[in-house]
Amino acid sequence: MGAGQKAVVDAATCTGCGICVDVCPHQALELVDGIAKLTKPELCDGSGECADACPVQAITLK
Ligand code: SF4
């Protein structure tokens, strides 16, 4: 986790639970066709709340 990093969702692992969408402080994530997607990457500051909250470790910061 650090400056300039963005949330990257592994679509094959994501279950679409929506927890990351709820915990994102910047509303950068949305569910698209049942999979989390960083639809507003310009809002992502790489703080990683989503990655910490994801129950299946589908989000990494890159
Ligand atoms: S918390 Fe994880 S499994 Fe749930 S929607 Fe987000 S990426 Fe997918």
Side-chain angles (χ1 to χ4, degrees), residues 9 13-21 31 36 50 53-56 58-59:
V9 179
T13 305
C14 174
T15 65
C17 70
I19 291 172
C20 58
V21 176
L31 290 180
C50 55
C54 177
V56 293
I59 300 181

